[in-house]
Short mmCIF file of all heavy atoms in Angstrom, two decimals:
data_model
loop_
_atom_site.label_atom_id
_atom_site.label_comp_id
_atom_site.label_asym_id
_atom_site.label_seq_id
_atom_site.Cartn_x
_atom_site.Cartn_y
_atom_site.Cartn_z
N MET A 1 7.08 -102.12 -41.57
CA MET A 1 7.38 -101.96 -42.97
C MET A 1 8.72 -102.65 -43.31
O MET A 1 9.70 -102.60 -42.56
CB MET A 1 7.54 -100.44 -43.26
CG MET A 1 7.60 -100.12 -44.73
SD MET A 1 7.30 -98.31 -44.91
CE MET A 1 7.57 -98.17 -46.66
N SER A 2 8.82 -103.37 -44.42
CA SER A 2 10.02 -104.05 -44.77
C SER A 2 11.01 -103.06 -45.36
O SER A 2 10.68 -101.93 -45.69
CB SER A 2 9.67 -105.13 -45.81
OG SER A 2 9.01 -104.58 -46.93
N ASP A 3 12.24 -103.53 -45.49
CA ASP A 3 13.30 -102.71 -46.03
C ASP A 3 13.27 -102.68 -47.57
O ASP A 3 12.95 -103.68 -48.18
CB ASP A 3 14.66 -103.18 -45.59
CG ASP A 3 14.90 -103.04 -44.07
OD1 ASP A 3 14.31 -102.11 -43.48
OD2 ASP A 3 15.59 -103.82 -43.51
N PRO A 4 13.60 -101.51 -48.15
CA PRO A 4 13.64 -101.47 -49.59
C PRO A 4 14.77 -102.29 -50.11
O PRO A 4 15.77 -102.53 -49.40
CB PRO A 4 13.76 -99.98 -49.92
CG PRO A 4 14.46 -99.45 -48.67
CD PRO A 4 13.92 -100.27 -47.51
N VAL A 5 14.71 -102.68 -51.38
CA VAL A 5 15.83 -103.33 -52.06
C VAL A 5 16.85 -102.26 -52.43
O VAL A 5 16.53 -101.24 -52.93
CB VAL A 5 15.34 -104.02 -53.36
CG1 VAL A 5 16.49 -104.56 -54.16
CG2 VAL A 5 14.31 -105.11 -53.05
N ILE A 6 18.16 -102.55 -52.12
CA ILE A 6 19.24 -101.64 -52.45
C ILE A 6 19.54 -101.87 -53.94
O ILE A 6 20.01 -102.98 -54.31
CB ILE A 6 20.48 -101.82 -51.60
CG1 ILE A 6 20.10 -101.58 -50.14
CG2 ILE A 6 21.65 -100.99 -52.07
CD1 ILE A 6 21.21 -102.00 -49.17
N VAL A 7 19.30 -100.91 -54.75
CA VAL A 7 19.50 -101.09 -56.18
C VAL A 7 20.94 -100.92 -56.59
O VAL A 7 21.58 -101.69 -57.29
CB VAL A 7 18.62 -100.06 -56.98
CG1 VAL A 7 18.85 -100.24 -58.48
CG2 VAL A 7 17.16 -100.27 -56.66
N THR A 8 21.54 -99.80 -56.08
CA THR A 8 22.94 -99.51 -56.37
C THR A 8 23.49 -98.59 -55.27
O THR A 8 22.71 -97.99 -54.58
CB THR A 8 23.08 -98.84 -57.74
OG1 THR A 8 24.45 -98.38 -57.95
CG2 THR A 8 22.17 -97.62 -57.85
N ASP A 9 24.75 -98.57 -55.10
CA ASP A 9 25.31 -97.72 -54.08
C ASP A 9 25.84 -96.34 -54.65
O ASP A 9 26.63 -95.68 -54.06
CB ASP A 9 26.44 -98.38 -53.30
CG ASP A 9 27.60 -98.84 -54.18
OD1 ASP A 9 27.50 -98.56 -55.44
OD2 ASP A 9 28.53 -99.39 -53.66
N THR A 10 25.28 -96.02 -55.81
CA THR A 10 25.49 -94.71 -56.36
C THR A 10 24.15 -94.14 -56.83
O THR A 10 23.24 -94.88 -57.15
CB THR A 10 26.43 -94.77 -57.59
OG1 THR A 10 25.92 -95.68 -58.54
CG2 THR A 10 27.87 -95.25 -57.16
N PRO A 11 24.07 -92.75 -56.89
CA PRO A 11 22.77 -92.20 -57.33
C PRO A 11 22.67 -92.33 -58.86
O PRO A 11 23.60 -92.54 -59.60
CB PRO A 11 22.91 -90.72 -56.91
CG PRO A 11 24.43 -90.42 -56.83
CD PRO A 11 25.01 -91.78 -56.42
N PHE A 12 21.42 -92.11 -59.35
CA PHE A 12 21.16 -92.07 -60.80
C PHE A 12 21.15 -90.63 -61.20
O PHE A 12 20.33 -89.84 -60.71
CB PHE A 12 19.79 -92.69 -61.03
CG PHE A 12 19.72 -94.16 -60.81
CD1 PHE A 12 19.28 -94.64 -59.59
CD2 PHE A 12 20.02 -95.03 -61.87
CE1 PHE A 12 19.14 -96.02 -59.40
CE2 PHE A 12 19.94 -96.44 -61.65
CZ PHE A 12 19.46 -96.88 -60.44
N ALA A 13 21.97 -90.26 -62.19
CA ALA A 13 21.97 -88.97 -62.77
C ALA A 13 20.92 -88.93 -63.90
O ALA A 13 20.95 -89.69 -64.82
CB ALA A 13 23.33 -88.59 -63.33
N VAL A 14 19.90 -88.00 -63.70
CA VAL A 14 18.81 -87.95 -64.72
C VAL A 14 18.58 -86.49 -65.10
O VAL A 14 18.53 -85.61 -64.23
CB VAL A 14 17.46 -88.47 -64.08
CG1 VAL A 14 16.33 -88.31 -65.08
CG2 VAL A 14 17.63 -89.93 -63.69
N THR A 15 18.57 -86.24 -66.35
CA THR A 15 18.22 -84.87 -66.85
C THR A 15 16.68 -84.77 -66.93
O THR A 15 16.07 -85.44 -67.75
CB THR A 15 18.82 -84.59 -68.23
OG1 THR A 15 20.25 -84.73 -68.10
CG2 THR A 15 18.51 -83.18 -68.66
N VAL A 16 16.12 -84.03 -66.00
CA VAL A 16 14.68 -83.86 -65.96
C VAL A 16 14.21 -82.68 -66.81
O VAL A 16 15.02 -81.79 -67.11
CB VAL A 16 14.17 -83.70 -64.48
CG1 VAL A 16 14.58 -84.91 -63.67
CG2 VAL A 16 14.72 -82.39 -63.86
N GLU A 17 12.91 -82.69 -67.15
CA GLU A 17 12.35 -81.64 -67.98
C GLU A 17 11.38 -80.78 -67.11
O GLU A 17 10.56 -81.35 -66.41
CB GLU A 17 11.48 -82.30 -69.10
CG GLU A 17 12.21 -82.71 -70.29
CD GLU A 17 11.29 -83.30 -71.33
OE1 GLU A 17 10.29 -82.67 -71.67
OE2 GLU A 17 11.57 -84.48 -71.73
N GLU A 18 11.57 -79.47 -67.23
CA GLU A 18 10.68 -78.58 -66.50
C GLU A 18 9.20 -78.90 -66.72
O GLU A 18 8.76 -79.08 -67.87
CB GLU A 18 10.92 -77.12 -66.95
CG GLU A 18 10.13 -76.03 -66.22
CD GLU A 18 10.42 -74.64 -66.67
OE1 GLU A 18 11.40 -74.47 -67.45
OE2 GLU A 18 9.69 -73.75 -66.25
N GLY A 19 8.47 -78.97 -65.65
CA GLY A 19 7.01 -79.17 -65.74
C GLY A 19 6.65 -80.69 -65.77
O GLY A 19 5.43 -81.02 -65.61
N LYS A 20 7.60 -81.57 -66.00
CA LYS A 20 7.27 -82.96 -66.09
C LYS A 20 7.29 -83.63 -64.72
O LYS A 20 8.10 -83.24 -63.87
CB LYS A 20 8.31 -83.68 -66.97
CG LYS A 20 7.96 -85.11 -67.33
CD LYS A 20 8.93 -85.70 -68.35
CE LYS A 20 8.64 -87.15 -68.56
NZ LYS A 20 9.61 -87.77 -69.53
N THR A 21 6.36 -84.54 -64.46
CA THR A 21 6.28 -85.24 -63.14
C THR A 21 6.89 -86.59 -63.28
O THR A 21 6.69 -87.34 -64.22
CB THR A 21 4.79 -85.35 -62.71
OG1 THR A 21 4.28 -84.02 -62.61
CG2 THR A 21 4.68 -86.04 -61.37
N TYR A 22 7.67 -86.90 -62.21
CA TYR A 22 8.42 -88.18 -62.14
C TYR A 22 8.00 -88.90 -60.86
O TYR A 22 7.66 -88.26 -59.91
CB TYR A 22 9.92 -87.89 -62.11
CG TYR A 22 10.43 -87.24 -63.34
CD1 TYR A 22 10.32 -85.81 -63.41
CD2 TYR A 22 11.01 -87.87 -64.39
CE1 TYR A 22 10.80 -85.11 -64.55
CE2 TYR A 22 11.42 -87.28 -65.56
CZ TYR A 22 11.34 -85.87 -65.60
OH TYR A 22 11.83 -85.22 -66.73
N TYR A 23 8.05 -90.24 -60.93
CA TYR A 23 7.67 -91.02 -59.75
C TYR A 23 8.85 -91.91 -59.41
O TYR A 23 9.08 -92.92 -60.06
CB TYR A 23 6.38 -91.88 -60.05
CG TYR A 23 5.21 -91.00 -60.31
CD1 TYR A 23 4.90 -90.54 -61.56
CD2 TYR A 23 4.41 -90.57 -59.28
CE1 TYR A 23 3.82 -89.68 -61.76
CE2 TYR A 23 3.33 -89.76 -59.44
CZ TYR A 23 3.04 -89.32 -60.72
OH TYR A 23 1.97 -88.42 -60.91
N TRP A 24 9.51 -91.51 -58.33
CA TRP A 24 10.70 -92.27 -57.89
C TRP A 24 10.36 -93.50 -57.16
O TRP A 24 9.50 -93.49 -56.31
CB TRP A 24 11.56 -91.35 -56.96
CG TRP A 24 12.73 -91.97 -56.32
CD1 TRP A 24 13.89 -92.20 -56.96
CD2 TRP A 24 12.89 -92.37 -54.93
NE1 TRP A 24 14.79 -92.78 -56.07
CE2 TRP A 24 14.16 -92.85 -54.85
CE3 TRP A 24 12.06 -92.37 -53.85
CZ2 TRP A 24 14.69 -93.36 -53.65
CZ3 TRP A 24 12.47 -92.84 -52.65
CH2 TRP A 24 13.82 -93.34 -52.55
N CYS A 25 10.98 -94.59 -57.51
CA CYS A 25 10.79 -95.93 -56.87
C CYS A 25 11.38 -95.93 -55.48
O CYS A 25 12.56 -95.68 -55.37
CB CYS A 25 11.36 -97.00 -57.71
SG CYS A 25 11.44 -98.63 -56.92
N SER A 26 10.53 -96.15 -54.44
CA SER A 26 11.06 -96.20 -53.05
C SER A 26 11.29 -97.63 -52.66
O SER A 26 11.91 -97.87 -51.62
CB SER A 26 10.02 -95.54 -52.11
OG SER A 26 8.82 -96.24 -52.14
N CYS A 27 10.73 -98.63 -53.38
CA CYS A 27 10.85 -100.02 -52.96
C CYS A 27 12.13 -100.72 -53.44
O CYS A 27 12.56 -101.72 -52.92
CB CYS A 27 9.64 -100.81 -53.31
SG CYS A 27 9.53 -101.21 -55.08
N GLY A 28 12.64 -100.22 -54.58
CA GLY A 28 13.83 -100.87 -55.16
C GLY A 28 13.57 -101.98 -56.10
O GLY A 28 14.48 -102.60 -56.63
N LYS A 29 12.28 -102.33 -56.34
CA LYS A 29 11.99 -103.50 -57.19
C LYS A 29 11.74 -103.15 -58.63
O LYS A 29 11.64 -104.03 -59.47
CB LYS A 29 10.74 -104.16 -56.63
CG LYS A 29 10.90 -104.85 -55.28
CD LYS A 29 9.63 -105.49 -54.84
CE LYS A 29 9.76 -106.11 -53.50
NZ LYS A 29 8.49 -106.61 -52.96
N SER A 30 11.63 -101.86 -58.95
CA SER A 30 11.33 -101.47 -60.28
C SER A 30 12.45 -101.88 -61.23
O SER A 30 13.64 -101.76 -60.90
CB SER A 30 11.15 -99.92 -60.32
OG SER A 30 11.04 -99.49 -61.71
N GLN A 31 12.07 -102.22 -62.45
CA GLN A 31 13.05 -102.56 -63.49
C GLN A 31 13.35 -101.29 -64.33
O GLN A 31 14.12 -101.37 -65.29
CB GLN A 31 12.51 -103.64 -64.42
CG GLN A 31 12.24 -104.94 -63.70
CD GLN A 31 13.46 -105.56 -63.06
OE1 GLN A 31 14.49 -105.71 -63.75
NE2 GLN A 31 13.42 -105.82 -61.77
N SER A 32 12.76 -100.17 -63.96
CA SER A 32 12.94 -98.95 -64.65
C SER A 32 13.58 -97.88 -63.72
O SER A 32 13.11 -96.74 -63.67
CB SER A 32 11.59 -98.40 -65.18
OG SER A 32 11.01 -99.35 -66.00
N GLN A 33 14.59 -98.29 -62.98
CA GLN A 33 15.21 -97.41 -62.02
C GLN A 33 15.75 -96.11 -62.62
O GLN A 33 16.21 -96.15 -63.77
CB GLN A 33 16.36 -98.15 -61.25
CG GLN A 33 15.84 -99.26 -60.44
CD GLN A 33 15.08 -98.75 -59.25
OE1 GLN A 33 15.23 -97.65 -58.76
NE2 GLN A 33 14.16 -99.62 -58.80
N PRO A 34 15.62 -94.96 -61.91
CA PRO A 34 15.20 -94.88 -60.52
C PRO A 34 13.71 -94.68 -60.39
O PRO A 34 13.21 -94.31 -59.28
CB PRO A 34 15.99 -93.62 -60.10
CG PRO A 34 15.95 -92.72 -61.26
CD PRO A 34 16.13 -93.66 -62.42
N PHE A 35 12.94 -94.90 -61.44
CA PHE A 35 11.52 -94.63 -61.44
C PHE A 35 10.65 -95.83 -61.23
O PHE A 35 11.07 -96.96 -61.54
CB PHE A 35 11.15 -93.82 -62.62
CG PHE A 35 11.97 -92.56 -62.75
CD1 PHE A 35 12.77 -92.42 -63.85
CD2 PHE A 35 11.89 -91.57 -61.80
CE1 PHE A 35 13.57 -91.17 -63.95
CE2 PHE A 35 12.65 -90.46 -61.87
CZ PHE A 35 13.48 -90.22 -62.97
N CYS A 36 9.45 -95.63 -60.69
CA CYS A 36 8.45 -96.69 -60.46
C CYS A 36 7.92 -97.28 -61.68
O CYS A 36 7.65 -96.62 -62.61
CB CYS A 36 7.27 -96.01 -59.67
SG CYS A 36 5.92 -97.11 -59.27
N ASP A 37 7.84 -98.61 -61.67
CA ASP A 37 7.13 -99.31 -62.78
C ASP A 37 5.98 -100.18 -62.32
O ASP A 37 5.42 -101.00 -63.04
CB ASP A 37 8.18 -100.23 -63.52
CG ASP A 37 8.57 -101.43 -62.67
OD1 ASP A 37 8.20 -101.54 -61.49
OD2 ASP A 37 9.34 -102.30 -63.25
N GLY A 38 5.51 -99.87 -61.05
CA GLY A 38 4.38 -100.58 -60.49
C GLY A 38 4.74 -101.87 -59.73
O GLY A 38 3.79 -102.50 -59.17
N SER A 39 5.96 -102.21 -59.69
CA SER A 39 6.39 -103.45 -59.02
C SER A 39 6.17 -103.40 -57.46
O SER A 39 6.26 -104.43 -56.85
CB SER A 39 7.85 -103.73 -59.25
OG SER A 39 8.09 -103.96 -60.60
N HIS A 40 5.89 -102.25 -56.93
CA HIS A 40 5.61 -102.15 -55.45
C HIS A 40 4.22 -102.68 -55.11
O HIS A 40 3.96 -102.79 -53.95
CB HIS A 40 5.70 -100.67 -55.04
CG HIS A 40 4.66 -99.83 -55.66
ND1 HIS A 40 4.89 -99.21 -56.88
CD2 HIS A 40 3.41 -99.55 -55.28
CE1 HIS A 40 3.72 -98.56 -57.22
NE2 HIS A 40 2.85 -98.72 -56.23
N ALA A 41 3.38 -103.00 -56.10
CA ALA A 41 2.06 -103.43 -55.78
C ALA A 41 2.03 -104.54 -54.79
O ALA A 41 2.81 -105.49 -54.88
CB ALA A 41 1.36 -103.91 -57.13
N GLY A 42 1.14 -104.45 -53.77
CA GLY A 42 1.03 -105.44 -52.77
C GLY A 42 2.01 -105.27 -51.60
O GLY A 42 2.01 -106.05 -50.63
N SER A 43 2.89 -104.27 -51.66
CA SER A 43 3.84 -103.96 -50.58
C SER A 43 3.40 -102.70 -49.84
O SER A 43 2.39 -102.09 -50.20
CB SER A 43 5.25 -103.78 -51.14
OG SER A 43 5.35 -102.49 -51.77
N ASP A 44 4.19 -102.34 -48.81
CA ASP A 44 3.90 -101.11 -48.06
C ASP A 44 4.48 -99.86 -48.75
O ASP A 44 4.30 -98.78 -48.27
CB ASP A 44 4.54 -101.20 -46.67
CG ASP A 44 3.91 -102.31 -45.84
OD1 ASP A 44 2.81 -102.63 -46.04
OD2 ASP A 44 4.66 -102.86 -44.99
N PHE A 45 5.18 -100.04 -49.89
CA PHE A 45 5.84 -98.89 -50.52
C PHE A 45 4.94 -98.22 -51.53
O PHE A 45 4.13 -98.87 -52.18
CB PHE A 45 7.13 -99.37 -51.17
CG PHE A 45 8.16 -99.85 -50.26
CD1 PHE A 45 8.25 -101.21 -49.88
CD2 PHE A 45 9.02 -98.94 -49.65
CE1 PHE A 45 9.24 -101.62 -49.02
CE2 PHE A 45 10.00 -99.42 -48.79
CZ PHE A 45 10.09 -100.77 -48.43
N THR A 46 5.17 -96.90 -51.66
CA THR A 46 4.54 -96.19 -52.79
C THR A 46 5.59 -95.25 -53.33
O THR A 46 6.55 -94.86 -52.67
CB THR A 46 3.36 -95.32 -52.25
OG1 THR A 46 3.84 -94.51 -51.21
CG2 THR A 46 2.21 -96.15 -51.80
N PRO A 47 5.45 -94.89 -54.61
CA PRO A 47 6.43 -94.05 -55.23
C PRO A 47 6.35 -92.59 -54.71
O PRO A 47 5.30 -92.22 -54.21
CB PRO A 47 6.07 -94.08 -56.76
CG PRO A 47 4.67 -94.43 -56.76
CD PRO A 47 4.41 -95.34 -55.54
N ILE A 48 7.43 -91.89 -54.83
CA ILE A 48 7.56 -90.47 -54.43
C ILE A 48 7.37 -89.58 -55.70
O ILE A 48 8.16 -89.76 -56.66
CB ILE A 48 8.84 -90.18 -53.75
CG1 ILE A 48 9.02 -91.08 -52.52
CG2 ILE A 48 8.90 -88.67 -53.34
CD1 ILE A 48 8.08 -90.84 -51.36
N GLU A 49 6.37 -88.77 -55.68
CA GLU A 49 6.18 -87.87 -56.84
C GLU A 49 7.01 -86.60 -56.83
O GLU A 49 7.23 -85.99 -55.77
CB GLU A 49 4.67 -87.44 -56.81
CG GLU A 49 4.27 -86.51 -57.99
CD GLU A 49 2.85 -86.13 -57.93
OE1 GLU A 49 1.96 -87.02 -57.64
OE2 GLU A 49 2.50 -84.91 -58.15
N TYR A 50 7.60 -86.31 -57.95
CA TYR A 50 8.42 -85.02 -58.06
C TYR A 50 8.13 -84.40 -59.38
O TYR A 50 8.19 -85.04 -60.47
CB TYR A 50 9.89 -85.38 -57.94
CG TYR A 50 10.80 -84.25 -58.31
CD1 TYR A 50 10.86 -83.14 -57.50
CD2 TYR A 50 11.41 -84.17 -59.58
CE1 TYR A 50 11.65 -82.01 -57.80
CE2 TYR A 50 12.13 -83.10 -59.95
CZ TYR A 50 12.28 -82.02 -59.04
OH TYR A 50 13.00 -80.88 -59.41
N THR A 51 7.77 -83.08 -59.38
CA THR A 51 7.56 -82.34 -60.58
C THR A 51 8.75 -81.35 -60.71
O THR A 51 9.05 -80.60 -59.85
CB THR A 51 6.25 -81.59 -60.56
OG1 THR A 51 5.18 -82.51 -60.35
CG2 THR A 51 6.01 -80.78 -61.83
N ALA A 52 9.41 -81.49 -61.82
CA ALA A 52 10.63 -80.59 -62.09
C ALA A 52 10.22 -79.18 -62.26
O ALA A 52 9.35 -78.86 -62.99
CB ALA A 52 11.33 -81.15 -63.30
N THR A 53 10.96 -78.33 -61.56
CA THR A 53 10.67 -76.86 -61.60
C THR A 53 11.57 -76.22 -62.69
O THR A 53 11.36 -75.08 -63.06
CB THR A 53 10.98 -76.18 -60.26
OG1 THR A 53 12.25 -76.54 -59.84
CG2 THR A 53 9.98 -76.67 -59.26
N GLU A 54 12.57 -76.99 -63.13
CA GLU A 54 13.39 -76.48 -64.26
C GLU A 54 14.06 -77.69 -64.88
O GLU A 54 14.14 -78.78 -64.31
CB GLU A 54 14.48 -75.49 -63.73
CG GLU A 54 15.39 -76.02 -62.71
CD GLU A 54 16.42 -74.96 -62.30
OE1 GLU A 54 17.08 -74.41 -63.17
OE2 GLU A 54 16.54 -74.74 -61.08
N SER A 55 14.51 -77.55 -66.10
CA SER A 55 15.25 -78.59 -66.82
C SER A 55 16.62 -78.61 -66.39
O SER A 55 17.38 -77.60 -66.56
CB SER A 55 15.08 -78.43 -68.32
OG SER A 55 13.75 -78.46 -68.72
N LYS A 56 17.09 -79.70 -65.80
CA LYS A 56 18.51 -79.82 -65.34
C LYS A 56 18.72 -81.24 -64.93
O LYS A 56 17.88 -82.07 -64.79
CB LYS A 56 18.82 -78.86 -64.22
CG LYS A 56 18.02 -79.14 -62.94
CD LYS A 56 18.46 -78.18 -61.85
CE LYS A 56 17.73 -78.42 -60.54
NZ LYS A 56 18.16 -77.47 -59.51
N GLU A 57 20.05 -81.53 -64.72
CA GLU A 57 20.45 -82.89 -64.19
C GLU A 57 20.33 -82.94 -62.74
O GLU A 57 20.78 -82.05 -62.01
CB GLU A 57 21.89 -83.17 -64.58
CG GLU A 57 22.33 -84.59 -64.28
CD GLU A 57 23.73 -84.87 -64.77
OE1 GLU A 57 24.70 -84.22 -64.32
OE2 GLU A 57 23.83 -85.73 -65.61
N LEU A 58 19.59 -84.02 -62.22
CA LEU A 58 19.44 -84.22 -60.81
C LEU A 58 19.92 -85.66 -60.51
O LEU A 58 20.03 -86.48 -61.32
CB LEU A 58 17.96 -84.09 -60.49
CG LEU A 58 17.33 -82.71 -60.63
CD1 LEU A 58 15.83 -82.76 -60.39
CD2 LEU A 58 17.98 -81.70 -59.68
N TYR A 59 20.29 -85.83 -59.21
CA TYR A 59 20.78 -87.14 -58.75
C TYR A 59 19.70 -87.83 -57.88
O TYR A 59 19.51 -87.43 -56.71
CB TYR A 59 22.07 -86.95 -58.02
CG TYR A 59 23.15 -86.46 -58.96
CD1 TYR A 59 23.32 -85.11 -59.25
CD2 TYR A 59 23.91 -87.41 -59.66
CE1 TYR A 59 24.28 -84.72 -60.16
CE2 TYR A 59 24.81 -86.98 -60.60
CZ TYR A 59 25.03 -85.66 -60.83
OH TYR A 59 25.92 -85.25 -61.77
N PHE A 60 19.04 -88.84 -58.46
CA PHE A 60 18.01 -89.58 -57.68
C PHE A 60 18.64 -90.75 -56.96
O PHE A 60 19.57 -91.42 -57.46
CB PHE A 60 17.00 -90.14 -58.69
CG PHE A 60 16.07 -89.11 -59.27
CD1 PHE A 60 16.46 -88.33 -60.38
CD2 PHE A 60 14.79 -88.82 -58.70
CE1 PHE A 60 15.64 -87.38 -60.95
CE2 PHE A 60 14.01 -87.84 -59.28
CZ PHE A 60 14.40 -87.16 -60.39
N CYS A 61 18.19 -90.94 -55.76
CA CYS A 61 18.78 -91.98 -54.86
C CYS A 61 18.65 -93.40 -55.47
O CYS A 61 17.60 -93.76 -55.95
CB CYS A 61 18.03 -91.94 -53.56
SG CYS A 61 18.45 -93.30 -52.37
N GLY A 62 19.75 -94.14 -55.39
CA GLY A 62 19.74 -95.50 -55.86
C GLY A 62 19.80 -96.51 -54.74
O GLY A 62 19.50 -97.69 -54.99
N CYS A 63 20.29 -96.12 -53.61
CA CYS A 63 20.40 -97.06 -52.45
C CYS A 63 19.08 -97.17 -51.69
O CYS A 63 18.99 -98.06 -50.90
CB CYS A 63 21.55 -96.64 -51.55
SG CYS A 63 21.25 -95.23 -50.48
N LYS A 64 18.15 -96.26 -51.92
CA LYS A 64 16.83 -96.20 -51.28
C LYS A 64 16.90 -95.92 -49.76
O LYS A 64 15.95 -96.17 -49.06
CB LYS A 64 16.03 -97.45 -51.57
CG LYS A 64 15.99 -97.93 -52.99
CD LYS A 64 15.36 -96.83 -53.93
CE LYS A 64 15.40 -97.30 -55.35
NZ LYS A 64 14.92 -96.24 -56.31
N ALA A 65 18.08 -95.41 -49.32
CA ALA A 65 18.20 -95.09 -47.88
C ALA A 65 18.21 -93.59 -47.63
O ALA A 65 18.35 -93.12 -46.47
CB ALA A 65 19.49 -95.70 -47.33
N THR A 66 18.01 -92.81 -48.70
CA THR A 66 18.07 -91.37 -48.53
C THR A 66 17.01 -90.83 -47.53
O THR A 66 15.94 -91.39 -47.48
CB THR A 66 17.88 -90.66 -49.88
OG1 THR A 66 17.93 -89.23 -49.66
CG2 THR A 66 16.54 -90.99 -50.53
N LYS A 67 17.33 -89.75 -46.89
CA LYS A 67 16.41 -89.07 -45.99
C LYS A 67 15.82 -87.87 -46.73
O LYS A 67 15.06 -87.09 -46.17
CB LYS A 67 17.04 -88.61 -44.72
CG LYS A 67 17.76 -89.73 -43.93
CD LYS A 67 16.77 -90.62 -43.18
CE LYS A 67 17.47 -91.56 -42.22
NZ LYS A 67 18.31 -92.54 -42.94
N ALA A 68 16.21 -87.69 -47.99
CA ALA A 68 15.77 -86.52 -48.79
C ALA A 68 15.13 -87.00 -50.09
O ALA A 68 15.40 -86.43 -51.16
CB ALA A 68 16.95 -85.61 -49.08
N ALA A 69 14.30 -88.07 -50.00
CA ALA A 69 13.72 -88.67 -51.18
C ALA A 69 12.97 -87.62 -52.01
O ALA A 69 12.37 -86.77 -51.46
CB ALA A 69 12.73 -89.77 -50.80
N PRO A 70 13.12 -87.66 -53.35
CA PRO A 70 13.69 -88.77 -54.13
C PRO A 70 15.20 -88.60 -54.43
O PRO A 70 15.73 -89.35 -55.20
CB PRO A 70 12.85 -88.72 -55.39
CG PRO A 70 12.64 -87.24 -55.62
CD PRO A 70 12.43 -86.69 -54.21
N PHE A 71 15.81 -87.61 -53.85
CA PHE A 71 17.21 -87.29 -54.20
C PHE A 71 18.25 -87.95 -53.28
O PHE A 71 18.00 -88.26 -52.10
CB PHE A 71 17.37 -85.79 -54.25
CG PHE A 71 16.38 -85.13 -55.16
CD1 PHE A 71 15.34 -84.35 -54.66
CD2 PHE A 71 16.42 -85.36 -56.54
CE1 PHE A 71 14.43 -83.80 -55.49
CE2 PHE A 71 15.49 -84.82 -57.38
CZ PHE A 71 14.45 -84.06 -56.88
N CYS A 72 19.43 -88.11 -53.80
CA CYS A 72 20.58 -88.60 -53.09
C CYS A 72 20.93 -87.62 -51.97
O CYS A 72 21.04 -86.37 -52.22
CB CYS A 72 21.75 -88.80 -54.04
SG CYS A 72 23.25 -89.25 -53.23
N ASP A 73 21.18 -88.07 -50.77
CA ASP A 73 21.65 -87.27 -49.71
C ASP A 73 22.99 -87.74 -49.14
O ASP A 73 23.45 -87.37 -48.05
CB ASP A 73 20.64 -87.09 -48.59
CG ASP A 73 20.47 -88.43 -47.79
OD1 ASP A 73 21.03 -89.46 -48.21
OD2 ASP A 73 19.76 -88.40 -46.76
N GLY A 74 23.62 -88.73 -49.88
CA GLY A 74 24.91 -89.24 -49.45
C GLY A 74 24.77 -90.43 -48.51
O GLY A 74 25.80 -90.99 -48.11
N SER A 75 23.59 -90.89 -48.26
CA SER A 75 23.38 -92.03 -47.36
C SER A 75 24.05 -93.32 -47.88
O SER A 75 24.33 -94.21 -47.07
CB SER A 75 21.89 -92.29 -47.13
OG SER A 75 21.31 -91.26 -46.38
N HIS A 76 24.25 -93.43 -49.19
CA HIS A 76 24.90 -94.63 -49.72
C HIS A 76 26.35 -94.82 -49.26
O HIS A 76 26.88 -95.87 -49.32
CB HIS A 76 24.89 -94.59 -51.26
CG HIS A 76 25.61 -93.41 -51.86
ND1 HIS A 76 25.00 -92.20 -52.02
CD2 HIS A 76 26.90 -93.32 -52.22
CE1 HIS A 76 25.93 -91.35 -52.54
NE2 HIS A 76 27.03 -92.00 -52.69
N LYS A 77 26.92 -93.76 -48.62
CA LYS A 77 28.28 -93.83 -48.14
C LYS A 77 28.36 -94.50 -46.76
O LYS A 77 29.39 -94.83 -46.29
CB LYS A 77 28.91 -92.45 -48.06
CG LYS A 77 29.07 -91.83 -49.48
CD LYS A 77 29.58 -90.37 -49.36
CE LYS A 77 29.62 -89.71 -50.72
NZ LYS A 77 29.75 -88.27 -50.67
N ASP A 78 27.22 -94.61 -46.13
CA ASP A 78 27.18 -95.20 -44.72
C ASP A 78 27.16 -96.67 -44.75
O ASP A 78 26.67 -97.28 -45.66
CB ASP A 78 25.90 -94.69 -43.98
CG ASP A 78 25.97 -93.20 -43.76
OD1 ASP A 78 27.08 -92.63 -43.77
OD2 ASP A 78 24.90 -92.62 -43.59
S1 LIG B 101 8.16 -100.01 -58.24
FE1 LIG B 101 9.17 -99.26 -56.47
S2 LIG B 101 7.81 -97.77 -55.65
FE2 LIG B 101 6.84 -98.45 -57.45
#
């Protein structure tokens, strides 16, 4: 599997809505970061689905190196 594109070395702060489903981009090629826009087509990557359990601000990974996808786990500091 190839490496994902590093989009940014900081997470994306997103206010999610309870009950809404989001698809986090794992490949780094999406133009709609941090979410999938279909640009992974033809690669080994697929988006990670997340359904919000409550409305609040969350930090989605921007470096694509997180071990806790789709959220930031501090891996961008390495
Ligand atoms: S565009 Fe990156 S996973 Fe879909």
